[in-house]
Amino acid sequence: MRVGLIVDSACDLPYEFSRKHDLFILPVTAVIDGQTYIDEHDPVRTQEFYQSGLLQKGHHAETQAFSPQQIHDLFMEKIVTQFDVAICETVTRSRSLIYQNATEAMNSVMSHYQDVREAAGREGKFSMRVIDSKQIFAGQGLLAAHTLRLIDQRLSKNALRNEVEAFTDKIYTCVIPRDLHYIRERARKRGDKSVSALVAFLGKALNITPVIFGLGAEGQPAAKTRSFDMAVEKVMNYAAGRVEAGLLTPYVSLSCGLTWTEIEDLPGLNRLRDACEKNGVELLLSQMGITSSIYVGPGSLCLALAAEPHEFSDFQ
């Protein structure tokens, strides 16, 4: 039984990790200043966007989910013909139409896959499941990495689905937005109330940078700092302390809307690397993709890990 894992372009993971594990990327459409781009997590294209300045303030940018028909066609061509079981993990359904559109596409695929599968020479039935990750960005990456571990354990398809769905409620995410007003406007369009008008005002008046923390995408401000670097250091200290206390899966996922030079200069990054190495944890460090950078704003940071219930302040 060949099992395939599908993630969308809001999922941040290192390119080499995704390629090594044969992840299928469900693209997202990015519209910037009226021009349409397809975000397939190509590292060269992502780097071009950072260098071009198209992700900076002053450019009108938004993302659009692929339509059910577009997703259906991709599934029929790339998934039905290669896998016996497929799991599609989408960005949280409360922030995007991807889950809804992928579910509609899956239902259509399950009714029409037989002829395409036979023509490709694959025998047996095909099954598929679309799962709401309840995550964004690095959180999606963490869930994908854990799912790959479960796939390697050769669980039954029902056991695999149940394990993945249960795990979505155990992922904690930290987000540091570089520009509160940018993320507030993006969040307001999607119904996300985690960044209030008051916090945005304080950020402008006092140069305050918050750390937004919580389970999955449902975060709240957990710390307020006077600079981005101070916020980053708090998040790195939190992550290193949580790694030392123990995790539920041996990964920490960290994505940054920065150049690689800026990423390497992040305060506390080496401490987190050392904690991961000493505790047998893999640090999944990536440059934030086009989709996630548009969503949360260029220059931002997102970190995710899975652990027993705790508070951000427990590791400060």
Side-chain angles (χ1 to χ4, degrees):
M1 180 177 72
R2 189 163 187 237
V3 182
L5 179 59
I6 305 159
V7 296
D8 59 53
S9 292
C11 175
D12 284 336
L13 275 171
Y15 175 71
E16 291 300 328
F17 183 91
S18 298
R19 190 173 68 171
K20 174 183 176 182
H21 294 284
D22 198 25
L23 284 183
F24 180 82
I25 307 298
L26 177 61
V28 171
T29 301
V31 182
I32 304 175
D33 294 339
Q35 294 292 316
T36 299
Y37 306 87
I38 303 301
D39 181 12
E40 298 179 297
H41 261 213
D42 177 88
V44 175
R45 170 57 66 88
T46 301
Q47 189 63 27
E48 288 174 352
F49 267 74
Y50 278 99
Q51 292 174 346
S52 70
L54 282 174
L55 296 178
Q56 300 300 318
K57 288 189 293 185
H59 296 277
H60 178 75
E62 62 181 12
T63 57
Q64 299 173 354
F66 265 32
S67 70
Q69 186 62 52
Q70 287 176 301
I71 298 174
H72 168 275
D73 293 345
L74 281 173
F75 285 172
M76 291 291 270
E77 179 185 358
K78 304 291 188 180
I79 303 302
V80 166
T81 58
Q82 296 185 39
F83 301 101
D84 304 307
V85 176
I87 292 179
C88 177
E89 296 175 352
T90 73
V91 65
T92 176
R93 72 164 93 181
S94 64
R95 307 292 190 269
S96 172
L97 291 175
I98 297 175
Y99 173 84
Q100 177 182 320
N101 291 357
T103 299
E104 185 176 333
M106 175 194 69
N107 292 335
S108 176
V109 165
M110 293 305 295
S111 299
H112 301 96
Y113 74 80
Q114 291 89 348
D115 291 345
V116 173
R117 191 169 169 83
E118 287 177 10
R122 293 203 70 88
E123 299 179 352
K125 294 183 177 181
F126 172 78
S127 65
M128 189 173 190
R129 183 78 174 190
V130 177
I131 295 176
D132 174 9
S133 74
K134 304 179 186 176
Q135 310 299 320
I136 53 174
F137 322 144
Q140 281 182 268
L142 186 82
L143 180 64
H146 183 69
T147 301
L148 290 167
R149 283 176 60 85
L150 294 174
I151 290 173
D152 286 344
Q153 294 175 19
R154 301 186 181 279
L155 303 177
S156 70
K157 60 184 180 183
N158 287 334
L160 177 61
R161 182 197 71 211
N162 291 336
E163 288 282 347
V164 170
E165 290 181 336
F167 195 76
T168 61
D169 295 321
K170 300 174 182 178
I171 298 174
Y172 288 84
T173 303
C174 298
V175 175
I176 306 175
R178 200 60 173 263
D179 185 325
L180 279 170
H181 290 273
Y182 180 102
I183 191 176
R184 176 173 164 251
E185 288 305 309
R186 291 291 301 160
R188 188 163 60 179
K189 290 179 181 179
R190 298 175 181 270
D192 181 357
K193 300 178 181 178
S194 62
V195 183
S196 69
L198 175 61
V199 172
F201 171 77
L202 289 174
K204 181 179 181 180
L206 303 175
N207 193 31
I208 287 176
T209 301
V211 175
I212 301 171
F213 170 80
L215 281 169
E218 305 306 316
Q220 296 292 331
K224 298 174 186 176
T225 66
R226 289 299 182 94
S227 71
F228 180 77
D229 282 355
M230 289 177 64
V232 170
E233 193 153 19
K234 281 184 174 292
V235 168
M236 296 299 180
N237 288 340
Y238 156 77
R242 186 63 258 191
V243 166
E244 290 163 356
L247 301 176
L248 298 178
T249 195
Y251 299 105
V252 171
S253 180
L254 174 60
S255 66
C256 311
L258 305 164
T259 66
W260 279 109
T261 300
E262 291 170 323
I263 291 172
E264 288 300 328
D265 287 339
L266 288 172
L269 177 59
N270 287 333
R271 185 196 166 194
L272 175 57
R273 278 182 166 143
D274 289 344
C276 287
E277 184 176 352
K278 290 177 182 178
N279 290 276
V281 172
E282 183 174 357
L283 177 61
L284 301 171
L285 178 61
S286 65
Q287 195 172 47
M288 194 170 276
I290 295 169
T291 297
S292 40
S293 188
I294 288 174
Y295 185 100
V296 76
S300 301
L301 179 147
C302 183
L303 179 142
L305 51 80
E308 298 294 347
H310 64 280
E311 300 294 333
F312 184 80
S313 58
D314 294 341
F315 296 92
Q316 294 301 309

